[in-house]
Amino acid sequence: MSISASQVKELREISGAGMMDCKAALTETNGDMEAAIDWLRAKGISKADKKAGRTAAEGLVGVATNGKKSVIVEVNSETDFVARNDAFQDIVRNVATVALGSDGSTAAVAAATYPATGKSVVDTIKDAVGTIGENLSFRRSAALSVGEGVVATYIHNAVSDGLGKLGVLVAIETAGNADAANAFGRQVAMHVAATNPLALTAAEVDPAAVEREKAVFTESARQSGKPDNIIEKMVEGRLRKFYEEVVLLSQAFVINPDLTVEAALKDAEKAIGAPAKITAFARFALGEGIEKEETDFAAEVAAAVKK
């Protein structure tokens, strides 16, 4: 099949590999972008993750908490200018409050009654389009809760209280001091913001992601020319390293890289005064996975002049 220049450009931006390598990867994989990324990684040309090429939409992520329960929501706008608008920020803040009073699921929040309007969250946001002058949408929400303990929250580069472009929740179950648990939970939330782990434990990593990495590691190891039994050990070692990189409890803690997050938690139990357990986390990065339409401004101007 014919590989377009735009495909090569996209793969180059994602992977950082050279143009000819990108073209070869796309040719070998019949234009499949994800497979092309894996092909480059297997050849040792790129370590890129497909997520690196995702284009962020605008808007805000908001969090709300009552201590034992916290929620995180994402509301999108077309431009960052609107995201800085007080009226839009009030909407996101109110949606987070609504989420805290529901089960926190996207469907429940969308249908819940928005304060003051008496309408659903979705319908209220639709009405706000005419007032704010941009297309707006409620995208998603999530909630974490504990029987005993805290659900810590963190907003990275907050634009206002509880609002920003990236938010994290971390649930810690403990019968110990709530303030100490919350302080440590916030540190873990900052860690999650920085490292974006795939799962809390190795058992929770998506099996498809594991198989994908195993396939890449195996193909890469085969290029060494070593016998199969050695290749198998090489792959096992690479998978152990993979888990250390993507599993929250196994990651080196960004606050103290000499400890894993799990070891840091055990150390924090001294201040908390009781055993503690991280039970879950949630991380929302604004626009994650949303593809924004790219426009050629020069071409638009040229087309307008011709009319």
Side-chain angles (χ1 to χ4, degrees), residues 200-224:
L200 177 63
T201 66
E204 294 173 20
V205 178
D206 183 353
V210 176
E211 286 305 312
R212 181 184 176 194
E213 294 302 310
K214 188 174 181 181
V216 171
F217 297 157
T218 301
E219 180 59 29
S220 181
R222 282 197 180 119
Q223 294 181 38
S224 68

Side-chain angles (χ1 to χ4, degrees), residues 189-202:
M190 293 170 70
H191 170 98
V192 170
T195 63
N196 192 18
L198 293 183
L200 177 63
T201 66

